[in-house]
Amino acid sequence: MANRIVLNTVSYHGKGAIGNIVPELTARGFQKAFVCSDPDLIRFNVTKKVTDLLDAAGFAYEVYSDIKPNPTIENVQTGVAAFRKSGADCIVAIGGGSSMDTAKAIGVIIENPEFADVRSLEGVAPTKKHAVFTIAVPTTAGTAAEVTINYVITDVEKKRKFVCVDTNDIPEVAVIDPDMMESMPKGLTAATGMDALTHAIEGYTTKAAWEMTDMFHLKAIELIARHLRGAVENTAEGREGMALAQYVAGMGFSNVGLGIVHSMAHGLGALYDTPHGVANAIILPVVMEYNAPYTGEKYREIARAMGVEGVDAMTQEEYRKAACDAVRKLGQDVGIPADLKAIVKDEDVQFLAESAFADACRPGNPRDTSVEEIAALYRSMM
């Protein structure tokens, strides 16, 4: 079977990269942008860094910001109506995964109105047309939504998140500018950075992994281990390193899938509104230990990429433990909680486990699992 790689048509990287947004839009003949960004980014003038460029060029735009941290079906529906009313012909998504996921769903529905029921996009929906032309500008170094064919929407009514996988949703242009990330607070930097690490490790160990995606994932792990601590302290080198690292991880996992760390984290976000990166970071080392017997020699390379010395002299048991310990230590160093005691209620564990088992990321896990085993994993962190 052939392996498939889907990436942006164009991506820009480095300080000042946002200067390419207006030229990309005007060169393609677009007239008005629908700017998707969340309320906090507007409040703290992060979105303004891009809209100032649009203003200076006299490029028309309308801002849409009815977006929650875990975007909902309603956010998408309201956004679709706002796009139609605006007369826009392109999208500029500015923010973390919430803004970009919302923009993806809006763009897909506009071009594929038969999927107006947002729930119909769950899984691999047979859309026929590519989403509205989109430029994605991340403000966090974690989700890599600007380069993935995935997006996640929360179904508030059913208290669950659902994953949508569609090659038609990938933004045509990604603009990864560390200057857009410099105002991220420490906690958000840590959480989104650990989200990126989760993408890299789950992508590297997933059942569909292959040589090209392994290359992306190992490099991402190396960059994150080297730069996340600095990014949390807001050093320029740390910010730039993490901006690249999260994108490289996205290049990989988008094309091969993830595992049960994400499946379990999605439930926490839907039920408790837990920040996605925090949930992933707490769960990651525990699931790594659970998956270890089914990962061959891959944990040796994870340990090496994490900066562990002497891995070639270690036994399999030793390098597997070293990889898990290095991930746990990084989480501790950047302030991630040690467990789920303050988050998960015992009476919710069965529902969470069932939701995780039904999640689209679960089949990619290197170890086949069950509802009962996932429930036990949750309880081991309580």
Side-chain angles (χ1 to χ4, degrees):
M1 184 181 73
N3 293 300
R4 182 187 71 184
I5 293 287
V6 181
L7 302 172
N8 307 112
T9 304
V10 180
S11 64
Y12 294 94
H13 302 262
K15 293 175 70 65
I18 59 172
N20 293 283
I21 294 171
V22 173
E24 280 287 343
L25 293 173
T26 55
R28 297 166 190 264
F30 292 110
Q31 300 295 315
K32 185 176 183 179
F34 188 72
V35 176
C36 284
S37 194
D38 74 57
D40 285 342
L41 293 175
I42 293 170
R43 186 179 306 118
F44 295 113
N45 293 323
V46 177
T47 306
K48 190 173 184 291
K49 294 180 180 181
V50 174
T51 57
D52 279 352
L53 296 175
L54 297 173
D55 286 332
F59 196 95
Y61 65 90
E62 184 167 314
V63 175
Y64 175 70
S65 62
D66 187 5
I67 300 170
K68 292 184 177 180
N70 290 301
T72 66
I73 289 173
E74 183 180 3
N75 293 154
V76 175
Q77 291 171 330
T78 306
V80 168
F83 182 95
R84 288 179 175 146
K85 185 178 179 181
S86 72
D89 54 7
C90 59
I91 294 173
V92 177
I94 305 166
S98 56
S99 296
M100 289 188 278
D101 283 6
T102 305
K104 286 179 176 182
I106 292 169
V108 166
I109 292 172
I110 290 294
E111 294 296 336
N112 300 271
E114 65 273 25
F115 289 90
D117 178 357
V118 183
R119 293 187 182 96
S120 69
L121 292 166
E122 182 173 4
V124 183
T127 58
K128 295 180 175 62
K129 296 181 180 179
H130 198 279
V132 173
F133 178 88
T134 299
I135 296 180
V137 188
T139 60
T140 63
T143 67
E146 72 276 7
V147 68
T148 69
I149 59 172
N150 316 308
Y151 56 100
V152 182
I153 303 299
T154 299
D155 186 334
V156 175
E157 182 182 330
K158 296 184 179 180
K159 297 181 179 179
R160 61 184 292 268
K161 284 187 174 186
F162 58 90
V163 180
C164 308
V165 183
D166 188 351
T167 58
N168 281 328
D169 72 44
I170 190 168
E172 285 87 348
V173 178
V175 178
I176 300 87
D177 188 332
D179 287 346
M180 293 295 293
M181 305 172 184
E182 63 185 2
S183 62
M184 273 196 300
K186 285 187 176 184
L188 182 60
T189 301
T192 56
M194 291 300 291
D195 186 20
L197 182 64
T198 307
H199 292 155
I201 290 175
E202 286 209 290
Y204 181 53
T205 57
T206 192
K207 290 175 181 175
W210 62 292
E211 287 85 351
M212 185 177 286
T213 57
D214 285 355
M215 173 180 69
F216 296 144
H217 291 134
L218 285 173
K219 188 62 179 178
I221 294 168
E222 177 190 328
L223 288 168
I224 294 164
R226 188 190 312 160
H227 293 294
L228 180 56
R229 293 176 179 88
V232 170
E233 296 304 318
N234 206 28
T235 68
E237 182 182 1
R239 289 291 188 205
E240 291 172 17
M242 283 304 301
L244 178 60
Q246 61 92 31
Y247 184 87
V248 173
M251 292 168 72
F253 89 82
S254 173
N255 290 285
V256 294
L258 296 163
I260 62 169
V261 177
H262 271 75
S263 300
M264 295 173 68
H266 287 155
L268 301 185
L271 195 59
Y272 307 118
D273 217 23
T274 306
H276 180 63
V278 172
N280 273 334
I282 296 170
I283 297 168
L284 177 58
V286 174
V287 169
M288 283 181 69
E289 290 168 347
Y290 170 77
N291 284 337
Y294 297 82
T295 56
E297 299 178 350
K298 286 201 163 186
Y299 279 31
R300 179 179 60 204
E301 302 312 314
I302 292 174
R304 194 192 312 279
M306 289 293 297
V308 175
E309 296 181 356
V311 293
D312 289 324
M314 294 181 181
T315 65
Q316 186 176 74
E317 181 180 355
E318 287 172 339
Y319 67 62
R320 285 176 173 171
K321 182 178 185 302
C324 297
D325 288 348
V327 169
R328 186 173 276 112
K329 179 66 164 58
L330 179 57
Q332 291 171 348
D333 287 352
V334 296
I336 298 297
D339 53 49
L340 297 175
K341 289 178 181 177
I343 300 171
V344 177
K345 299 176 182 178
D346 187 69
E347 60 266 29
D348 295 330
V349 169
Q350 184 64 25
F351 173 76
L352 288 167
E354 290 172 359
S355 297
F357 188 80
D359 187 85
C361 295
R362 188 265 307 165
N365 199 65
R367 176 174 180 171
D368 290 333
T369 189
S370 65
V371 171
E372 292 73 24
E373 290 181 357
I374 294 173
L377 287 169
Y378 277 122
R379 289 197 169 94
S380 73
M381 291 177 271
M382 294 169 62

